[in-house]
Amino acid sequence: MEDLLGSSTGVFIGLTLVIVGGAAMLAGRAIAGNWKPAWQVVAAAFGLALADRFLVYALFEGPLLHLPGFLVAFAVLAGLGLLAWRITLVTRMVRQYPWRYRRTSLVAYEEKKA
């Protein structure tokens, strides 16, 4: 598992999931709060994945240029950011236009019948 992540599992959970993952979720919420498209969340996740790799290298002596670790971190961070983006977008649509839309799940809404 450490060969895939480029660091120990504890470092991945603590740094990538908790700290940088929280930043990815906040970025997704902020981007959705400004009605920006989802590709901007992916771009933010790319930058956060680069920062995550650097922090693994600088703080925990992991390899800096480790492509599998970067790709795993990028996929996880993009997933968390896009999930937060979608939840925020659905919440805003339902709250801002209650006469037109209703929530069907955490990540989906539908138009109300006339």
Side-chain angles (χ1 to χ4, degrees):
M1 185 63 123
E2 291 183 11
D3 293 335
L4 178 66
L5 300 176
S7 63
S8 69
T9 307
V11 170
F12 180 78
I13 291 171
L15 183 66
T16 304
L17 286 181
V18 175
I19 296 174
V20 184
M25 292 187 77
L26 289 173
R29 285 182 58 192
I31 291 169
N34 289 320
W35 300 100
K36 302 293 183 186
W39 69 264
Q40 290 188 2
V41 177
V42 175
F46 184 81
L48 287 170
L50 289 174
D52 177 65
R53 272 317 315 157
F54 176 75
L55 289 174
V56 167
Y57 165 74
L59 298 176
F60 302 103
E61 299 177 359
L64 178 62
L65 302 175
H66 189 260
L67 185 61
F70 172 77
L71 292 176
V72 168
F74 174 66
V76 167
L77 296 174
L80 289 172
L82 288 170
L83 178 67
W85 177 83
R86 183 63 186 176
I87 290 170
T88 304
L89 188 70
V90 168
T91 301
R92 288 195 63 159
M93 289 296 286
V94 171
R95 191 174 293 158
Q96 188 163 344
Y97 305 108
W99 65 90
R100 184 157 188 187
Y101 300 111
R102 70 177 187 90
R103 181 184 297 267
T104 58
S105 72
L106 187 62
V107 294
Y109 62 92
E110 68 181 8
E111 196 164 345
K112 287 185 177 179
K113 306 289 190 254

